[in-house]
Amino acid sequence: MLPLVYLVRDLPVSTVQPAGGIATLAHHYIALVHSVDLLFPGYIDACYGPAKQSAQHLSNEEICHQASELCRQIKHALSIHNDSAQKQRLTFLLAQTAAIPAYMQWQLGQPLRFDAESLALYGIVSDEIDETKLVAQVSQLDARLTGRGSLAARLARWRQDYIVPQARMATVLSCALEHVRALCLQQLAQVDMRLPRHEAFRIEMVAGKVWTAYNWYQGDYQSVIQFNTDMPLYLDRVIELVSHEGYPGHHLFNVLQEQGLVNGNGWPEYAIYPLFSPISSLAEASADLGLSLLMSESTRQAFEAERLQPLAGIDGDWHEYCQIKALLEPLKFADNLVARQWLEGDISASEAMDKLIYLCLNTPARAQQRLAFFETNRSYIVNYHSGCQQLHGYLLGQGRRYQQHFYQLLQRPLLAQQWR
């Protein structure tokens, strides 16, 4: 039987300070993450430079035992350090390590309940979602988009004219990426931040994935950003995807940490990124929120109409398209609702498919992809829209320093337990 998940507040204080101090704790954390990934490949999302090392083969029980012991040692270190930077470093190490047993339970077929799991892994819980409000929003859209067939089918037919042809995808995506990069660099200069000169990315087109786009951070300030060609790329998704994966999303997030924490401070634990861990809450929430910092809605629509539409060879009334899209916006939280209901066993897979089509207005193919995403990643879904909403609320509390504090969070991350 796998041990119970350790909650940070319940960890006993160790009476022995480990030799070597925080650097030794960081080394043990890195080694433990490698051991988890050796047992369950895919746990590590990115690893570079000082965090690269060979993994030690450990059993499930050994991993959980080492995680609990390491948490005890980190908690003791926290009790004797007064320096704010070191305490923040230790807080990160503690949260990341404490999440490991919850991940092990999931992989061994004993997952926690949906909300308990998201709290244990990411430090965040989905906002309450009122299904009746989603149904009312669907009815409003149904009245606006008249025609034959189901609303999901009508919407798919209507959006068909706004799909970026595969032959033009790379060109359109590259244009959008360069644009959000330029805007992001302007904002970084305003908060007195500079990126390394050789920071860069490259784009790849792939297929057969459960995700739409993905950033693979390579280290040395380089990223590979992949886009899945299995699903149609609608023009309105272009700017969202490139900002999420690139600027000020995942690429920038990793660059700033490598620049400041890994290379600047010599903290190698930030050079290894276990996907199912607390750092993902800020990674996904900030990537979703970032576009709203770069562009107002009107500025975005103008860029899409004037630059991206011609590049994609798409005709059509972009203003009308954006009006329909605005009616779809409240439905984005339906993903969380369906994932929770299905993973909790409240609805069957077929019922989940029906809701992904009826409430989320996906095509059957897209609904199948979303269900596969839920099955593969479980409660990870809460880091997106719910995480974004909660991060936005925290940043609003910073007043006029909203933009500055956003970029400072990327440079020196706070975990969700510190900002939600």
Side-chain angles (χ1 to χ4, degrees):
M1 177 66 67
L2 199 68
L4 293 175
V5 175
Y6 291 92
L7 296 177
V8 171
R9 64 176 180 271
D10 296 331
L11 294 173
V13 176
S14 172
T15 58
V16 180
Q17 169 67 0
I22 300 178
T24 298
L25 296 174
H27 173 76
H28 290 331
Y29 162 72
I30 292 169
L32 190 58
V33 170
H34 277 290
S35 293
V36 176
D37 188 71
L38 190 63
L39 199 58
F40 300 112
Y43 180 62
I44 294 176
D45 188 66
C47 180
Y48 57 88
K52 286 187 174 181
Q53 62 181 60
S54 58
Q56 180 183 5
H57 288 268
L58 298 175
S59 68
N60 306 325
E61 291 76 13
E62 288 171 326
I63 287 173
C64 288
H65 173 74
Q66 289 197 17
S68 66
E69 177 56 29
L70 181 55
C71 282
R72 290 185 177 94
Q73 294 175 351
I74 297 170
K75 190 170 180 66
H76 173 63
L78 267 168
S79 72
I80 63 174
H81 278 86
N82 295 318
D83 178 75
S84 60
Q86 296 302 325
K87 288 183 80 70
Q88 176 58 29
R89 184 185 185 189
L90 287 163
T91 298
F92 172 80
L93 284 169
L94 181 58
Q96 293 288 109
T97 305
I100 289 174
Y103 177 74
M104 300 297 290
Q105 286 194 233
W106 163 18
Q107 293 302 310
L108 294 174
Q110 304 168 24
L112 297 170
R113 298 290 297 270
F114 188 87
D115 288 344
E117 180 187 270
S118 70
L119 185 61
L121 288 176
Y122 313 114
I124 194 170
V125 175
S126 176
D127 301 300
E128 286 298 321
I129 300 164
D130 187 340
E131 188 168 352
T132 61
K133 290 184 178 179
L134 297 176
V135 172
Q137 189 67 26
V138 168
S139 298
Q140 187 178 351
L141 187 59
D142 188 39
R144 172 68 186 270
L145 202 62
T146 57
R148 294 182 178 179
S150 68
L151 177 57
R154 277 178 273 147
L155 181 64
R157 287 196 302 269
W158 182 77
R159 296 183 77 191
Q160 193 167 5
D161 292 338
Y162 296 89
I163 295 174
V164 179
Q166 283 202 16
R168 299 193 182 210
M169 276 187 186
T171 300
V172 173
L173 289 165
S174 295
C175 173
L177 255 171
E178 291 295 348
H179 185 66
V180 295
R181 182 179 186 273
L183 294 175
C184 187
L185 289 177
Q186 291 175 12
Q187 292 194 345
L188 288 171
Q190 292 169 6
V191 296
D192 199 28
M193 291 185 187
R194 301 289 185 276
L195 294 185
R197 288 188 177 183
H198 66 286
E199 135 325 281
F201 60 86
R202 76 172 187 269
I203 288 176
E204 291 181 355
M205 299 297 165
V206 297
K209 307 298 181 181
V210 299
W211 38 258
T212 305
Y214 212 100
N215 178 296
W216 300 100
Y217 192 68
Q218 309 295 296
D220 196 28
Y221 312 125
Q222 309 292 305
S223 283
V224 175
I225 302 177
Q226 294 182 333
F227 297 92
N228 186 5
T229 59
D230 285 345
M231 292 291 106
L233 175 62
Y234 296 102
L235 190 64
D236 63 293
R237 288 287 285 145
V238 170
I239 202 76
E240 295 173 354
L241 291 174
V242 298
S243 63
H244 185 100
E245 305 299 338
Y247 307 83
H250 296 323
H251 174 67
L252 181 69
F253 187 65
N254 284 290
V255 166
L256 290 178
Q257 288 178 71
E258 182 178 7
Q259 181 185 47
L261 300 180
V262 179
N263 296 337
N265 290 359
W267 295 354
E269 62 270 23
Y270 283 92
I272 190 167
Y273 178 12
L275 183 62
F276 303 101
S277 71
I279 191 64
S280 285
S281 58
L282 180 59
E284 300 298 356
S286 62
D288 261 13
L289 184 62
L291 181 58
S292 65
L293 270 77
L294 296 184
M295 312 171 81
S296 67
E297 187 60 30
S298 59
T299 302
R300 169 188 169 173
Q301 291 179 20
F303 174 76
E304 290 167 331
E306 296 166 12
R307 295 283 302 280
L308 298 186
Q309 250 192 295
L311 274 181
I314 291 175
D315 297 321
D317 186 337
W318 192 245
H319 177 68
E320 181 189 17
Y321 185 95
C322 292
Q323 287 181 326
I324 297 295
K325 183 175 179 292
L327 293 176
L328 288 168
E329 187 67 15
L331 299 179
K332 64 186 180 183
F333 291 98
D335 257 7
N336 286 25
L337 177 75
V338 177
R340 178 194 270 152
Q341 290 177 340
W342 180 53
L343 293 170
E344 290 280 76
D346 296 333
I347 59 175
S348 66
S350 62
E351 289 171 324
M353 279 287 292
D354 289 343
K355 285 196 171 187
L356 285 168
I357 293 170
Y358 172 69
L359 275 184
C360 305
L361 300 180
N362 291 303
T363 63
R366 172 65 174 169
Q368 191 64 58
Q369 185 199 41
R370 295 308 290 158
L371 205 62
F373 183 91
F374 301 158
E375 184 174 27
T376 301
N377 299 290
R378 289 187 54 83
S379 62
Y380 192 91
I381 188 74
V382 306
N383 294 316
Y384 296 99
H385 302 313
S386 287
C388 177
Q389 188 173 63
Q390 293 176 32
L391 179 60
H392 174 60
Y394 168 76
L395 290 171
L396 283 176
Q398 308 306 308
R400 295 182 179 179
R401 297 180 63 246
Y402 188 109
Q403 177 178 298
Q404 180 181 1
H405 206 65
F406 173 86
Y407 286 110
Q408 287 174 340
L409 278 177
L410 304 190
Q411 191 177 47
R412 179 163 293 191
L414 293 179
L415 300 172
Q417 66 192 53
Q418 297 167 291
W419 51 257
R420 63 181 170 81

